[in-house]
Amino acid sequence: MVQLTMAKAINEGLRRAMADDPKVLVMGEDIGKLGGVFRVTDRLQEEFGAKRVIDTPLAESGIVGTAVGLALRGFRPVVEIQFDGFVYPAFDQIVCQVAKLHYRTRGNVRMPLTIRIPWAGGVGAAEHHSESPEAYFVHTSGLRVVAVSNPQDAYVMLRQAIASDDPVVYFEPKRLYHTKAEVHLDVDPADAPPMGLARVAREGTDVTVLTYGAQVATALDAALAAEEDGISLEVIDLRSLSPVDYRTVGASVRKTGRVVVTHEAAREAGVGAELVASVTERCFHYLETPPVRVTGHDIPYPPAKLEKHHVPDLDRVLDAVDRVLDRPNSLTGVEQ
Amino acid sequence: MTTVHTLNPMADLATDVDDVARLLTPAGERVVDPDLQQWIEDVDTAAIQRLYRDMVLLRRIDAEGVALQRQGQVGLWPPCQGQEATQIGTARALRADDFAFPSYRETGVVYARGGKPSDYVLAWRGEGHSTYNPYKLHTATQQIIIGAQSLHAVGYAMGVQRDGGDQVAAAYFGDGATSQGDVNEAMVFASSFGAPVVFVCTNNQWAISEPVSVQARFPIAGRAPGFGIPSMRVDGNDVLACLAAMRWAVDHARKGRGPAFLEAVTYRMGPHTTSDDPTRYRDKEEVEIWRRRDPIDRVEALLRAEDAFDDGFVAEVAADADALAAEVRQAAMGAVTREPLSIFDDVYAEPHSGIDEQRVAYAAYLNGFAATQES
Ligand SMILES: Cc1ncc(C[n+]2csc(CCOP(=O)(O)OP(=O)(O)O)c2C)c(N)n1
């Protein structure tokens, strides 16, 4: 067991996946000598050579589109999109090609592609560097979408994503890149809980908080704070957004009867909307109060100096907890 | 060899289309092209007869496709009449284990790669998005998103480089596609990595209703050298020139010299698809000019001149075309639509709880109807 940052854990995941399977390739902008703008691919080119750690031209559709061809030829490419906001030029290749080739060819062609995306805000970045585009990909069948929240998961889930015969969009919260935690590197990814399963990050009895990525930490902070008020929050780290593990989610909701969903992506037609709708369909008779969403606002990601008003913090999560518990909250007295 | 036949902005469609490399004039006379000649030394009369047969069969498949659409047996058909020489000439220069990446209009490429009638009609009938296994034909599913396949071809070629293989990838796309970012990104990647890929741009003068002048004010073959890719502009209605140019391009790529680019200058005689009405945007005279440049007629003229177009040969080709057309018809009419729940198949390679649940729910829903009908 070692103490590693999330960036290092991912780096180690890439290294071991490449060492184990010569068909694994890493490609993206600045990932070679520089080691990526977040140093996630640090020293991989030195170790595996420029044919397997490929500095590509600056063209996102080109990166994903050529990875499709490499996958057709039997490779397992791991592509890095430099920042969340730069995945849009590759959107067509991801949703029309990567996601659909297996279906289009009735299973003859596999697309074992992993698309790594440094993701979301909270790091004081420039415009286009803090986007949360996950809902676009969750809405696209044929893609698996995962979001990691800690170094251990980052390591194991990356290896599982690379081993998967399906394409995986793999979101890495930037604001956790440098958070350290203990990582077991010798877990066999095949024996670890699959990336499609949710994790109960903290057990509780009063309210279920559904979240993923960096918001897991916020939800856990909220749970600590709530405990002081005698309220017990159960925090579910979804880990996978497609598919969602509704077994784990449902078990928790049936236990608590109250649901708060939190993510930093905008609200309208977001992942939270889907979670609330699905939980309501599945667990309506167990619900004591309507589920509540705590999300980013439906605005373009704001400038860095204002981002704290956009990304839900512990207090906004606690306010939502008060709402589902019918305690005084920000809406008390407001005509609805 | 870096041959670009015109380096002036396109002035006049009528004269520019003749600024191409060719081995066979529109009248069917052999001419010598210093660059192309060496690539068809081995092509004897029997080989030309085979190319002729391929083109006639392709035209017949295409006519059958249009007829099947008119009769409601397929939903849509993208005709390729006029482009037979480009498709057959280039595809016949590929080795079986090379990998082709055609667009929707390249029926002839799928045919030349060994596709069966069901392989080119069932998708248009709506029985499946693709009805052949790409790995069996070494041919990707015909692409509908304009230009997307150019990147897949380059990636495949990069894979060949990594495997130490000597296969070549061939990316087919139209003149309209050259305006797409993907085609330009493909050329950057191919050139930067020296990938063994051949780009075949079929310039059929039109992208639905937009003339090539909306996509390009400079001959398309002239763009490739700017990416560091040698190119040729060939007569796309001259099957010998298409074969020779493609052999040059494939050889260049196979020998590790990097990508090559062909612009085949041809014409789409019919509508863009069976839903299109070309009379709204193009002149009858233009079509007539191109009818006189027909790719099949000129090979017929050549074979006649060589005394290789006797009644026996003609009858044989006609019989083969009839037989193939009947098979195409049979493939469409005899198609059996898959069972409803198959729509959930192959969305993912591994189990996905979301899809699995939806399949179960829809099965139960359908079963409900079965139960009602029984009672
Ligand atoms: C990305 C994209 N945009 C638009 C279309 C609709 N569309 C289909 S074919 C076509 C014209 C393509 O022209 P060209 O590339 O010259 O090929 P051709 O049809 O002439 O063979 C268009 C606009 C499409 N299929 N894909």
Side-chain angles (χ1 to χ4, degrees):
Chain A
M1 195 141 73
V2 280
Q3 284 273 328
L4 289 182
T5 62
M6 182 182 285
K8 274 273 171 225
I10 298 171
N11 177 274
E12 199 51 38
L14 290 170
R15 172 173 290 107
R16 293 188 181 208
M18 294 188 85
D20 286 357
D21 181 354
K23 291 294 184 188
V24 175
L25 301 175
V26 177
M27 53 201 288
E29 296 159 9
D30 304 298
I31 64 156
K33 281 217 173 86
L34 182 66
V37 291
F38 293 103
R39 310 293 181 266
V40 168
T41 55
D42 196 30
R43 298 191 179 278
L44 294 179
Q45 196 180 60
E46 223 170 82
E47 194 172 334
F48 297 102
K51 275 207 152 175
R52 291 188 64 198
V53 180
I54 309 169
D55 266 329
T56 64
L58 222 165
E60 286 73 17
S61 191
I63 294 169
V64 175
T66 52
V68 167
L70 281 157
L72 253 164
R73 176 78 190 182
F75 289 85
R76 306 184 88 84
V78 184
V79 309
E80 174 173 307
I81 300 294
Q82 198 158 59
F83 277 93
D84 35 48
F86 309 143
V87 73
Y88 304 118
F91 194 64
D92 164 57
Q93 285 287 343
I94 297 174
V95 304
C96 295
Q97 309 295 332
V98 173
K100 298 196 169 91
L101 261 153
H102 190 260
Y103 193 69
R104 183 179 300 151
T105 62
R106 295 184 47 189
N108 284 310
V109 169
R110 302 244 150 145
M111 277 291 118
L113 202 73
T114 303
I115 302 172
R116 291 184 35 239
I117 307 181
W119 162 65
V123 295
E127 198 185 0
H128 309 296
H129 291 69
S130 303
E131 310 267 303
S132 292
E134 59 268 27
Y136 298 115
F137 301 109
V138 169
H139 193 64
T140 301
S141 349
L143 300 174
R144 287 174 191 275
V145 182
V146 302
V148 296
S149 68
N150 60 78
Q152 180 70 51
D153 273 357
Y155 170 76
V156 174
M157 286 165 67
L158 177 67
R159 301 225 32 202
Q160 291 171 334
I162 296 171
S164 170
D165 272 344
D166 284 317
V168 180
V169 180
Y170 177 97
F171 284 108
E172 304 169 3
K174 296 189 242 351
R175 70 173 185 268
L176 299 185
Y177 267 143
H178 301 297
T179 335
K180 272 195 178 173
E182 297 205 321
V183 181
H184 298 263
L185 289 174
D186 17 82
V187 208
D188 184 343
D191 293 339
M195 64 183 173
L197 290 190
R199 176 178 70 99
V200 181
R202 180 194 164 104
E203 289 194 23
T205 50
D206 296 331
V207 177
T208 297
V209 181
L210 300 177
T211 189
Y212 52 93
Q215 282 298 109
V216 172
T218 308
L220 288 173
D221 288 347
L224 272 183
E227 198 174 27
E228 287 173 18
D229 276 353
I231 300 167
S232 163
L233 301 188
E234 177 146 299
V235 177
I236 309 274
D237 175 1
L238 292 171
R239 296 164 90 244
S240 172
L241 307 180
S242 176
V244 168
D245 171 10
Y246 282 112
R247 244 170 209 274
T248 303
V249 169
S252 177
V253 174
R254 282 193 290 274
K255 177 170 69 172
T256 63
R258 298 175 205 268
V259 179
V260 167
V261 180
T262 177
H263 59 58
E264 75 174 73
R267 169 174 311 197
E268 188 82 8
V271 168
E274 178 54 44
L275 288 166
V276 169
S278 291
V279 162
T280 306
E281 273 183 3
R282 287 160 200 259
C283 308
F284 183 75
H285 295 292
Y286 295 86
L287 289 172
E288 306 285 343
T289 48
V292 166
R293 285 170 288 170
V294 193
T295 67
H297 309 293
D298 291 336
I299 56 171
Y301 199 85
K305 294 287 185 205
L306 293 161
E307 67 179 332
K308 65 171 186 293
H309 296 291
H310 180 68
V311 179
D313 60 6
L314 160 158
D315 288 327
R316 281 176 62 198
V317 175
L318 289 175
D319 181 60
V321 167
D322 288 339
R323 282 171 63 190
V324 296
L325 285 170
D326 283 331
R327 286 159 48 103
N329 62 73
S330 63
L331 292 181
T332 307
V334 176
E335 194 87 34
Q336 282 194 68
Chain B
M1 178 165 68
T2 302
T3 317
V4 178
H5 283 262
T6 307
L7 282 173
N8 293 311
M10 308 252 242
D12 177 2
L13 192 79
T15 56
D16 282 349
V17 293
D18 277 320
D19 201 350
V20 287
R22 70 167 51 117
L23 291 166
L24 194 57
T25 67
E29 284 151 6
R30 291 287 289 256
V31 286
V32 173
D33 180 285
D35 292 327
L36 292 181
Q37 202 58 35
Q38 56 183 303
W39 296 101
I40 53 152
E41 305 279 68
D42 64 312
V43 177
D44 57 12
T45 303
I48 296 173
Q49 283 181 325
R50 286 196 292 276
L51 292 169
Y52 173 86
R53 176 181 179 277
D54 278 343
M55 291 198 291
V56 171
L57 265 53
L58 172 56
R59 184 162 294 183
R60 191 57 189 273
I61 293 167
D62 194 54
E64 200 61 32
V66 173
L68 285 167
Q69 192 279 335
R70 299 294 182 231
Q71 293 158 11
Q73 294 297 330
V74 301
L76 185 76
W77 186 264
C80 65
Q81 189 195 336
Q83 303 182 193
E84 293 88 351
T86 298
Q87 295 185 9
I88 297 298
T90 56
R92 283 288 179 227
L94 292 170
R95 219 166 61 187
D97 63 338
D98 290 333
F99 215 102
F101 292 80
S103 81
Y104 48 84
R105 200 182 302 289
E106 264 102 28
T107 312
V109 173
V110 179
Y111 158 82
R113 302 294 288 160
K116 300 187 303 293
S118 58
D119 294 337
Y120 35 79
V121 301
L122 292 187
W124 298 114
R125 188 178 156 93
E127 301 290 355
H129 293 318
S130 164
T131 43
Y132 56 87
N133 179 346
Y135 291 114
K136 287 220 169 108
L137 295 187
H138 286 93
T139 301
T141 303
Q142 290 180 265
Q143 181 64 253
I144 290 184
I145 300 289
I146 302 297
Q149 73 279 18
S150 57
L151 283 165
H152 307 165
V154 174
Y156 189 89
M158 289 168 66
V160 170
Q161 288 179 305
R162 278 153 186 77
D163 287 343
D166 73 341
Q167 296 89 352
V168 166
Y172 285 86
F173 48 82
D175 45 295
T178 63
S179 297
Q180 285 280 348
D182 277 3
V183 170
N184 290 274
E185 293 186 24
M187 290 204 270
V188 174
F189 273 71
S191 166
S192 298
F193 295 119
V197 59
V198 177
F199 297 106
V200 182
C201 173
T202 300
N203 175 359
N204 65 8
Q205 313 304 324
W206 293 91
I208 310 187
S209 69
E210 296 189 359
V212 63
S213 55
V214 174
Q215 322 295 334
R217 299 301 299 170
F218 192 78
I220 291 167
R223 289 191 202 176
F227 289 95
I229 301 174
S231 72
M232 283 196 89
R233 190 165 199 253
V234 297
D235 185 337
N237 285 17
D238 170 353
V239 73
L240 297 182
C242 290
L243 177 68
M246 190 69 174
R247 282 181 170 183
W248 158 71
V250 167
D251 179 75
H252 176 90
R254 201 180 311 286
K255 287 202 172 121
R257 297 187 182 138
F261 187 104
L262 298 183
E263 176 191 357
V265 180
T266 180
Y267 197 77
R268 154 175 54 86
M269 295 300 290
H272 167 70
T273 65
T274 41
S275 308
D276 176 42
D277 175 10
T279 63
R280 293 176 74 111
Y281 56 82
R282 65 183 194 189
D283 292 340
K284 260 207 182 95
E285 298 98 86
E286 183 184 298
V287 182
E288 287 318 307
I289 290 169
W290 281 92
R291 206 179 297 287
R292 293 196 289 276
R293 306 163 68 95
D294 188 87
I296 299 184
D297 289 352
R298 72 172 83 172
V299 180
E300 176 181 333
L302 172 68
L303 288 173
R304 280 190 194 284
E306 295 190 358
D307 258 344
F309 202 76
D310 56 62
D311 292 348
F313 172 67
V314 175
E316 206 178 290
V317 172
D320 289 352
D322 285 346
L324 184 53
E327 276 182 58
V328 170
R329 171 159 296 268
Q330 176 50 35
M333 317 273 275
V336 178
T337 302
R338 287 181 289 158
E339 55 94 20
L341 291 180
S342 71
I343 60 173
F344 295 100
D345 291 349
D346 302 316
V347 179
Y348 293 90
E350 296 167 10
H352 182 283
S353 53
I355 290 289
D356 297 345
E357 272 187 27
Q358 288 188 12
R359 179 204 297 269
V360 169
Y362 194 61
Y365 171 78
L366 291 178
N367 265 335
F369 285 108
T372 336
Q373 273 162 13
E374 272 162 31
S375 58

